[in-house]
Amino acid sequence: MNRFDSIRYLYLLPFYLSCFLSLLFPLSIAAETWRGLTIAPENRCSPYERKRDYTYPQSIERRIAQSLGAIYSPYTNTCYSDTGMTDIEHMISLSEAHDSGLCAASRQDRAQFASDIRNLTLASPALNRHQKGGRDAGEWLPEMNRCWFANRVVEVRLAYGLTIDRREANRLEEVLRSCSSFDLLPVNCETVQNPTTRIQTGSGSHDNALKLYDDNRNGRITCKEARRHGIAPVEQNHPAYRFMRDGDGDGVVCE
């Protein structure tokens, strides 16, 4: 080998080495997956225009109630007398879905996602707007029906080819591996002792609140008692509110 061939070999060595390594470590194994979902950080690849791209009719709230079998929130198993007392709740929030792949989808696909009944449920305005909001399952999980919720999140992400970040995948795995069923817990809204259907009016409403929720009969209602009876978060117009401490004065307790 002469001097020229030696120099040429040295220049080509990195190329040959990269080819050899590519055979040993194919690029196809670079993408990490979990339960069929690609693990990837959230990425807003296009502007998020909720009012323009993620539209859905308010009338869908009735369809959600029909799919649930009653007007109640699976997050707390709280029953309501009508849908005017609830919010339409996207289990995977619209902004989360946008940053998980829908940012590259068509407007038609985005609108379809926004109205997909598989991703819709009911929640109190306080929970929907002040607790969950745009948080994903790695940041927030419901008090009730966690197995149903976690399984539905995975199903919807798979249906739309959405990615999932590592933290959310880890949190969902913790829930799913302990589940024996993904069904909703049964709720009978006709018999359940529920403030939104039983004690909205009447001069004795506040006294009834103490009788219903003050378990230790000390004249106060704690968040532990409120959650035990499925009324948390408690809003200012709820009869139990006057017997609770609203530390930040925002009109909602136990958020």
Side-chain angles (χ1 to χ4, degrees), residues 113-143:
F113 178 86
S115 299
D116 194 327
I117 201 72
R118 293 173 296 180
N119 190 48
L120 295 173
T121 189
L122 299 177
S124 71
L127 189 154
N128 181 45
R129 303 172 194 179
H130 303 297
Q131 292 187 47
K132 182 177 181 292
R135 295 179 178 88
D136 64 26
E139 302 165 311
W140 182 91
L141 287 170
E143 179 182 344

Side-chain angles (χ1 to χ4, degrees), residues 26-236:
L27 293 177
S28 58
I29 68 171
E32 183 184 6
T33 61
W34 171 80
R35 292 180 180 258
L37 297 171
T38 299
I39 302 290
E42 295 175 9
N43 175 38
R44 183 157 295 186
C45 60
S46 66
Y48 174 57
E49 301 286 352
R50 174 168 180 164
K51 292 183 178 180
R52 185 192 68 182
D53 297 341
Y54 294 93
T55 58
Y56 55 90
Q58 190 66 29
S59 59
I60 204 171
E61 199 160 11
R62 282 291 174 186
R63 284 186 55 205
I64 299 169
Q66 291 173 356
S67 71
L68 292 172
I71 304 173
Y72 78 100
S73 173
Y75 291 167
T76 58
N77 278 2
T78 304
C79 298
Y80 300 90
S81 58
D82 61 74
T83 54
M85 306 175 71
T86 58
D87 272 358
I88 296 171
E89 192 344 71
H90 289 83
M91 285 179 268
I92 301 174
S93 72
L94 299 177
S95 60
E96 170 70 18
H98 187 82
D99 296 345
S100 300
L102 287 187
C103 60
S106 66
R107 289 188 183 180
Q108 181 179 356
D109 288 341
R110 295 175 187 177
Q112 179 182 336
F113 178 86
S115 299
D116 194 327
I117 201 72
R118 293 173 296 180
N119 190 48
L120 295 173
T121 189
L122 299 177
S124 71
L127 189 154
N128 181 45
R129 303 172 194 179
H130 303 297
Q131 292 187 47
K132 182 177 181 292
R135 295 179 178 88
D136 64 26
E139 302 165 311
W140 182 91
L141 287 170
E143 179 182 344
M144 308 290 291
N145 290 300
R146 287 192 174 185
C147 289
W148 165 79
F149 177 83
N151 184 63
R152 188 62 63 85
V153 167
V154 174
E155 286 184 348
V156 173
R157 284 188 180 274
L158 284 170
Y160 285 88
L162 303 181
T163 60
I164 189 169
D165 63 45
R166 170 48 63 188
R167 178 174 61 173
E168 183 176 7
N170 289 345
R171 188 70 184 95
L172 286 174
E173 183 62 32
E174 290 177 7
V175 175
L176 292 170
R177 67 188 178 195
S178 64
C179 295
S180 58
S181 171
F182 300 128
D183 295 334
L184 283 171
L185 298 175
V187 173
N188 189 341
C189 288
E190 294 182 359
T191 60
V192 68
Q193 289 289 346
N194 194 303
T196 58
T197 59
R198 297 304 181 93
I199 55 173
Q200 295 183 57
T201 60
S203 59
S205 293
H206 295 301
D207 292 336
N208 287 339
L210 280 179
K211 290 177 183 178
L212 287 172
Y213 313 120
D214 180 18
D215 294 336
N216 60 9
R217 299 294 183 260
N218 66 351
R220 303 293 299 171
I221 298 173
T222 65
C223 285
K224 183 177 181 180
E225 290 169 331
R227 294 190 179 99
R228 183 183 302 130
H229 290 279
I231 65 172
V234 180
E235 298 175 319
Q236 194 168 9

